[in-house]
Amino acid sequence: MLEDRDVETMFGYPGGAVIPIYDEIRDSSIRHVLVRHEQCAAHAADGYARATGKTGVCLSTSGPGATNMVTGIATAYADSIPMLALTGQVGSKVLGSEAFQEVDAYSLMMSVTKHNFRVTDVKRLPHAIDEAWQIAASGRPGPVHVDLPVDQINAQIDEAMTNEHFGIKKPWEDVSGIPDAVRLIKECQKPVIFAGGGAVGAGASDEVKRLSQMIGAPIVTPLMGIGIVPSADPLNMGALGMHGRMCAMEAFQNSDLIIAVGTKFSDRTYSPHTEPSKKCRVIQIDIDATQFGKSNRTSVDIKCDAKKALGLLIDALGGETRHDPWTRQVKEWKKRCTCNYDYYTSPIVPQKVMKELNSFFDEDTIITTDVGQNQMWAMHFLDVKRPRQLLSSGSFGTMGFGLPAAIGAKAARPDCKVATVVGDGGLQMVVQELATAVAEKLPVVVVLLNNGWLGMVKQWQKLFWDKRYSETELGDDPDFCMIAQAYKAKGIHVERAGEVHDALKEAFDCGETCVVDIKCDPEEDALPMLPPNPALAPVKGRCKF
């Protein structure tokens, strides 16, 4: 059934309850990537899905195998990533008897999946797989879990049944607000397009750019929306939010109309520090009606796929509705939003690493990030050229995401150069996956910003907790190059700024998995930073504006 749905790759880790499936994998056309930890099977399937837009597939055994996958599944759920998560289960006749490696995975997964199935009758297996596959990718995408008791996996089934298809209810649409949306656009003077992960997922890049050009509106994004239009686009203000760009915040705060496309007004982007005046109105386009109303403003809500809705809106506008003074103003803000750095300091500043990484960042490059300061520097300074090029854990903020997601992206797009930007804290959570990259011949470049601290937590303690550093210094970090070599990967030490470019070039050119261990300044903060307490002033650092 997975082959019939054109599944080419799946990620997993075997155990007793899923041996029957693994036995069949030997004779299938599907490539199985053996990870070293089940959490990373889910992260790799997630990276595969983010890089392609296809549904990622992961598989684990029962009990601890299933529980280990929960974090990766929750990460995908928080960012609306399509995934099919398969778990083995003890035999259906001993469910609830505290059998060996039994856990109620069905209940456990409910809060982090779109839907769940438990197959206690093999005749229901085709129904579960078919519906799960459709549900994962329909409407607002997300992971779907199928729990598979071992006796049902071993049971016989009429093969004709596996060709049956079962319909699911298609998401309902309501585009009746299009005329009101057109009216708001023609009445406003300072429109802003706020485009998130839903716009990327819907493939609405061209429509977002076209609408921006038609009405002269700047584009701001949350982390998940980066790449919806190229970073270099003069109307792309960049990321908004706690660590966003000052020009994005200026444009957003001064707007009188927000056109929100596939974004959920998260607390990390939409806060008392960033929100415009109460007179600002909202057009919200989303396939998920639960997202409406989160802006707490007068809003025209359009429940529809983002690509389709924007197409209808563009057609209804009928031509350009220019806001030239506003367009000139936001372009000036972007021009002034620059930062001064001495790129040849010692220790190395992470901004220097991002600057050099940009010289290797072409259309055929995919970069994943881990979570923390490394993620924010990548968000600010990488020159992203297209959707699905910068992959990062947004809503769940999962440390350890970067490396396995890069492996999944490389499996999905073997033609692309794939790198991951990580910190020394996050890398050590999943460092064993270097073995996966090597053994599976999925070479990735690990750009390690090594500062010896849990940097983002330290930064909070520094700025808001009177420098009372508690359990954030990692102490005696290992020699990461020696670890890489132990896993039969390549390792390169970088201690001087002048070495960064050549080290990255060697890593990308070597054709093997490579850890570039770059010693970075532990006192460099990811700025600007909007504090969680609205009463506190933003920390702007060295930003001119």
Side-chain angles (χ1 to χ4, degrees):
M1 288 184 285
L2 295 178
E3 287 173 322
D4 289 345
R5 286 156 183 79
D6 297 322
V7 174
E8 298 174 342
T9 307
M10 62 192 298
F11 306 86
Y13 199 94
V18 289
I19 287 175
I21 300 177
Y22 275 91
D23 188 65
E24 294 295 335
I25 286 174
R26 284 179 59 92
D27 300 322
S28 80
S29 63
I30 297 173
R31 177 186 185 181
H32 180 277
V33 174
L34 176 63
V35 297
R36 276 25 179 199
H37 190 284
E38 293 91 348
Q39 176 180 333
C40 298
H43 287 327
D46 186 333
Y48 184 100
R50 291 181 199 240
T52 61
K54 299 177 181 179
T55 299
V57 182
C58 53
L59 169 63
S60 77
T61 193
S62 61
T67 59
N68 280 347
M69 279 214 304
V70 171
T71 297
I73 293 169
T75 301
Y77 181 70
D79 286 342
S80 304
I81 306 302
M83 179 186 293
L84 179 61
L86 306 171
T87 58
Q89 183 56 275
V90 301
S92 56
K93 293 181 180 179
V94 296
L95 283 168
S97 69
E98 301 183 13
F100 177 69
Q101 289 195 332
E102 179 184 2
V103 71
D104 185 1
Y106 179 81
S107 299
L108 188 67
M109 302 284 190
M110 277 189 176
S111 65
V112 293
T113 54
K114 282 185 71 176
H115 202 73
N116 267 249
F117 297 87
R118 174 175 285 167
V119 181
T120 55
D121 179 349
V122 71
K123 293 178 182 178
R124 297 288 291 170
L125 180 63
H127 176 271
I129 296 298
D130 190 58
E131 285 203 1
W133 191 257
Q134 293 180 67
I135 291 168
S138 70
R140 180 181 177 181
V144 178
H145 168 233
V146 182
D147 201 32
L148 300 165
V150 65
D151 59 326
Q152 301 306 313
I153 297 174
N154 271 319
Q156 297 301 306
I157 188 172
D158 181 352
E159 191 169 337
M161 292 181 67
T162 65
N163 297 319
E164 294 180 6
H165 291 281
F166 304 82
I168 65 167
K169 186 182 293 185
K170 292 185 178 180
W172 57 273
E173 296 180 350
D174 182 358
V175 296
S176 61
I178 293 287
D180 287 333
V182 170
R183 175 178 56 81
L184 292 184
I185 291 171
K186 291 186 174 181
E187 289 177 355
C188 76
Q189 299 299 316
K190 301 175 180 180
V192 165
I193 297 173
F194 185 25
V200 173
S205 178
D206 289 344
E207 288 77 12
V208 168
K209 187 169 185 177
R210 174 68 180 134
L211 181 62
S212 170
Q213 293 170 340
M214 283 180 67
I215 66 176
I219 301 163
V220 301
T221 71
L223 176 65
M224 291 296 297
I226 290 177
I228 190 68
V229 296
S231 299
D233 188 298
L235 284 174
N236 185 356
M237 299 294 107
L240 175 72
M242 178 175 277
H243 291 283
R245 292 189 175 183
M246 299 303 293
C247 62
M249 186 167 71
E250 284 288 322
F252 199 74
Q253 286 179 325
N254 285 280
S255 66
D256 60 4
L257 177 65
I258 299 167
I259 305 171
V261 186
T263 188
K264 56 189 178 183
F265 290 93
S266 159
D267 63 309
R268 278 296 192 265
T269 52
Y270 186 71
S271 72
H273 281 300
T274 64
E275 64 180 348
S277 74
K278 294 300 180 185
K279 294 181 180 179
C280 179
R281 296 180 290 186
V282 171
I283 298 168
Q284 186 161 5
I285 297 170
D286 209 293
I287 194 63
D288 182 2
T290 66
Q291 300 307 307
F292 297 144
K294 289 186 176 180
S295 66
N296 295 316
R297 295 173 180 274
T298 300
S299 178
V300 172
D301 299 329
I302 301 170
K303 187 182 183 303
C304 188
D305 169 84
K307 185 178 182 71
K308 178 179 177 179
L310 287 172
L312 293 172
L313 183 58
I314 289 167
D315 289 344
L317 281 166
E320 292 188 349
T321 303
R322 303 297 301 174
H323 300 90
D324 291 334
W326 172 241
T327 306
R328 287 193 295 270
Q329 175 65 79
V330 295
K331 285 182 178 179
E332 180 62 27
W333 281 335
K334 180 171 183 176
K335 189 183 299 184
R336 290 166 56 192
C337 189
T338 57
C339 300
N340 288 334
Y341 292 103
D342 180 355
Y343 289 115
Y344 290 92
T345 60
S346 181
I348 301 165
V349 291
Q351 295 86 345
K352 165 67 173 177
V353 181
M354 299 302 110
K355 178 177 183 293
E356 297 298 344
L357 197 51
N358 273 331
S359 62
F360 304 96
F361 201 4
D362 57 25
E363 288 276 352
D364 293 323
T365 305
I366 296 172
I367 294 185
T368 71
T369 79
D370 216 84
V371 167
Q373 289 177 316
N374 60 86
Q375 180 184 37
M376 297 299 103
W377 284 313
M379 178 185 79
H380 266 282
F381 295 102
L382 289 182
D383 183 16
V384 184
K385 297 170 173 59
R386 60 171 176 82
R388 304 191 181 281
Q389 191 169 29
L390 181 65
L391 315 179
S392 193
S393 169
S395 290
F396 214 52
T398 307
M399 288 180 68
F401 174 83
L403 175 55
I407 292 170
K410 185 65 177 180
R413 297 290 306 276
D415 54 314
C416 287
K417 295 178 293 187
V418 178
T420 182
V421 176
V422 302
D424 42 335
L427 179 60
Q428 290 184 84
M429 291 187 171
V430 295
V431 70
Q432 74 283 344
E433 298 308 318
L434 290 173
T436 303
V438 171
E440 297 287 341
K441 295 181 173 53
L442 296 170
V444 298
V445 174
V446 180
V447 182
L448 172 58
L449 306 181
N450 184 352
N451 63 12
W453 290 75
L454 299 177
M456 185 59 82
V457 186
K458 177 198 176 184
Q459 180 172 320
W460 279 59
Q461 291 172 340
K462 176 182 180 180
L463 298 176
F464 307 124
W465 292 89
D466 298 326
K467 298 184 180 180
R468 290 170 55 85
Y469 301 125
S470 177
E471 304 303 322
T472 44
E473 186 174 11
L474 291 170
D476 291 329
D477 263 347
D479 185 321
F480 289 101
C481 289
M482 290 186 68
I483 287 179
Q485 290 162 14
Y487 281 118
K488 302 178 183 176
K490 187 179 180 67
I492 304 173
H493 281 295
V494 178
E495 296 191 0
R496 289 183 289 273
E499 301 170 346
V500 174
H501 181 88
D502 288 345
L504 291 174
K505 185 177 189 306
E506 182 179 352
F508 279 111
D509 289 348
C510 73
E512 58 185 304
T513 293
C514 182
V515 176
V516 185
D517 180 8
I518 304 171
K519 299 297 184 183
C520 290
D521 186 353
E523 293 305 316
E524 186 68 20
D525 295 325
L527 298 176
M529 182 177 187
L530 306 180
N533 182 352
L536 299 175
V539 181
K540 296 184 181 181
R542 288 178 283 179
C543 291
K544 283 184 179 179
F545 194 72

